[in-house]
């Protein structure tokens, strides 16, 4: 009975040390040092190489080391065992910090004030709308979307949410999958917090941007994406910014990560970039969560955060 950490694109060494420290009684290994594949009963993964998990004959479950599981499903030879993902209060809270901070930066036009400061210019930009005049629309009303919505509402933003199935959230305007146009038409600041699935890939494209509200207080609608880079068509974001369909974009995730040096997004004056760290996690908390899910499963209970294999999130 061993746990295999199967990690690429992050340094696996600190994860191996962390998991061994958190569960010293356990046999924990890190790919590619699998040992006897028959020993492995659980895998904790971040972007596992395709085909590695299918060679573990006694695998009983897979736990994503992140909230998203698109990286798990990218493996065409994924074994048919339950898959869990991370839900962690610290991660959720940090994502909401990112959403609230960047929503306020747009509302208060902080990027313009940064530019004025560099020119030593003392200028008051008007109009200066109040939070309640900015209609924020959150695409993806799951764990992250709902927390961000609640925190934005506390500040006074006018918030609505869109999800596959319509959610009922007290005090919040909500829309279901078939009401996308209605949702977009009332949205000045679009926040994408959706998983990457076959249904959502490329959803943030020019045709969608053109359906956003055109009568907002900031002049042109704004895009913020912290879900996954695969949701967005970067060429369309650039085209939308250049034709004025979008007024600005704040992006934490990208089609290719790290964002290639030659990407025009880097130096675009209307683009703000963060390096896929909007929800930097407390890694010990994530490690403890992963171990708690494995312990549950060993006791014969289902994972608390098992994902739907058909929906892929
Ligand atoms: P949840 O599974 O809790 O919520 C996902 C939401 O997206 C649900 O409301 C769901 O609808 C909605 N959704 C899924 N597919 C569709 C669709 N086709 N059309 C409309 N709505 C859809 O996920 P979380 O909130 O925990 O996380 C969301 C994503 O955020 C993760 O999958 C991950 O990609 C990303 N993430 C990014 C991080 C970063 O650092 N940038 C950190 C952590 C997560 P319904 O309610 O009907 O199920
Ligand atoms: C996640 C992420 O999915 O960090 O948790 O992107």
């Amino acid at each position: 009975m061993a746990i295999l950490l199967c990690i690429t694109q992050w340094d696996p060494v600190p994860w191996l040390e962390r998991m061994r420290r958190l569960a010293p009684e356990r046999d924990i290994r890190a790919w590619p040092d699998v040992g006897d594949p028959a020993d492995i009963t659980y895998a904790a993964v971040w972007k596992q190489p395709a085909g590695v998990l299918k060679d573990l004959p006694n695998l009983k479950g897979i736990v994503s080391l992140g909230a998203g599981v698109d990286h798990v499903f990218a493996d065409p030879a994924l074994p048919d065992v339950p898959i869990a993902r991370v839900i962690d209060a610290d991660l959720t809270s940090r994502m909401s910090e990112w959403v609230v901070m960047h929503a306020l930066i747009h509302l208060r036009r902080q990027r313009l004030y940064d530019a004025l400061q560099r020119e030593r210019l003392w200028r008051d930009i008007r109009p200066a709308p109040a939070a309640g005049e900015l209609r924020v629309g959150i695409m993806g009303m799951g764990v992250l979307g709902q927390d961000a919505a609640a925190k934005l509402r506390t500040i006074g933003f006018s918030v609505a949410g869109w999800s596959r199935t319509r959610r009922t959230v007290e005090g919040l305007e909500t829309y279901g999958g078939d009401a996308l146009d209605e949702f977009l038409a009332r949205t000045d600041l679009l926040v994408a917090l959706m998983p990457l699935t076959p249904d959502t890939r490329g959803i943030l494209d020019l045709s969608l941007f053109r359906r956003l509200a055109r009568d907002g207080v900031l002049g042109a609608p704004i895009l913020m994406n912290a879900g996954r880079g695969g949701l967005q068509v970067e060429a369309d974001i650039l085209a939308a910014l250049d034709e004025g369909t979008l007024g600005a974009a704040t992006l934490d995730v990208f089609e290719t990560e790290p964002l290639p040096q030659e990407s025009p997004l880097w130096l675009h004056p209307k683009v703000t970039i963060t390096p896929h760290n909007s929800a930097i996690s407390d890694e010990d908390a994530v490690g403890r969560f992963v171990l708690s899910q494995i312990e549950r499963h060993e006791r014969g209970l289902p994972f608390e955060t098992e994902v739907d294999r058909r929906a892929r999130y």
Side-chain angles (χ1 to χ4, degrees):
M1 292 221 316
I3 298 174
L4 180 67
L5 297 177
C6 205
I7 297 173
T8 66
Q9 293 186 25
W10 292 346
D11 183 356
V13 175
W15 271 102
L16 183 60
E17 289 169 359
R18 172 175 306 110
M19 297 303 266
R20 285 180 172 163
R21 173 168 49 77
L22 292 172
E25 71 293 355
R26 282 191 176 269
D27 179 354
I28 301 181
R29 307 173 191 179
W31 182 84
D33 297 325
V34 179
D36 181 352
D39 295 344
I40 309 295
T41 44
Y42 292 91
V45 306
W46 182 256
K47 302 192 180 176
Q48 81 276 7
V52 166
L53 302 180
K54 80 166 185 341
D55 292 331
L56 306 173
N58 295 316
L59 191 70
K60 292 182 171 42
I62 299 166
V63 187
S64 165
L65 287 168
V69 286
D70 50 298
H71 64 100
V72 182
F73 286 110
D75 183 347
L78 194 62
D80 188 12
V81 295
I83 299 166
R85 72 188 189 99
V86 169
I87 296 182
D88 174 64
D90 175 72
L91 184 155
T92 302
S93 199
R94 288 171 190 241
M95 177 62 86
S96 294
E97 288 168 9
W98 185 93
V99 172
V100 169
M101 176 178 78
H102 288 285
L104 284 170
I105 283 174
H106 289 299
L107 175 73
R108 302 299 296 258
R109 300 169 190 263
Q110 187 56 44
R111 297 296 305 272
L112 284 177
Y113 284 111
D114 291 342
L116 290 173
Q117 182 182 341
R118 283 193 293 274
E119 303 294 323
R120 302 174 190 228
L121 287 170
W122 182 277
R123 213 171 271 164
D124 189 4
I125 301 164
R126 295 297 163 112
E133 295 175 75
L134 194 70
R135 294 164 297 180
V136 181
I138 302 184
M139 290 180 96
M141 284 302 287
V143 174
L144 300 182
Q146 290 198 37
D147 192 70
K151 287 171 181 163
L152 287 164
R153 283 188 64 228
T154 302
I155 290 168
F157 287 100
S158 162
V159 186
W162 179 75
S163 49
R164 201 158 64 111
T165 46
R166 186 175 171 197
R167 300 275 176 138
T168 310
V169 183
E170 210 194 314
L172 205 75
E173 236 181 281
T174 53
Y175 298 82
D178 56 359
L180 179 60
D181 282 356
E182 222 182 305
F183 164 78
L184 294 173
R186 55 74 61 208
T187 294
D188 306 316
L189 174 60
L190 184 68
V191 180
L193 285 174
M194 273 185 302
L196 179 62
T197 70
D199 290 338
T200 62
R201 184 174 289 282
I203 191 169
L204 302 174
D205 66 3
L206 194 53
S207 97
L208 181 141
F209 303 143
R210 286 181 175 154
R211 286 178 278 154
L212 287 163
R214 304 299 320 162
D215 58 351
V217 285
L218 295 183
I222 288 165
L223 169 69
M224 289 175 33
N225 182 14
R228 279 290 181 265
L231 301 175
Q232 72 203 15
V233 180
E234 284 166 17
D236 284 9
I237 294 176
L238 289 161
L241 288 168
D242 292 343
E243 71 179 25
T245 296
L246 284 179
T250 297
L251 308 172
D252 182 56
V253 288
F254 300 90
E255 288 173 8
T256 302
E257 294 181 3
L259 182 63
Q261 285 295 304
E262 62 277 15
S263 170
L265 291 170
W266 276 116
L267 296 181
H268 197 293
K270 295 177 179 167
V271 175
T272 301
I273 287 174
T274 54
H276 195 148
N277 70 349
S278 50
I280 326 158
S281 312
D282 171 345
E283 283 140 345
D284 274 12
V286 170
R288 277 193 294 272
F289 181 82
V290 167
L291 289 164
S292 75
Q293 293 307 300
I294 292 173
E295 278 154 22
R296 264 181 75 90
H297 205 262
E298 286 172 335
R299 292 203 310 274
L301 298 168
F303 287 138
E304 279 170 307
T305 57
E306 185 169 338
V307 302
D308 174 347
R309 284 186 81 103
R310 217 161 38 88
R312 291 183 165 230
Y313 70 93

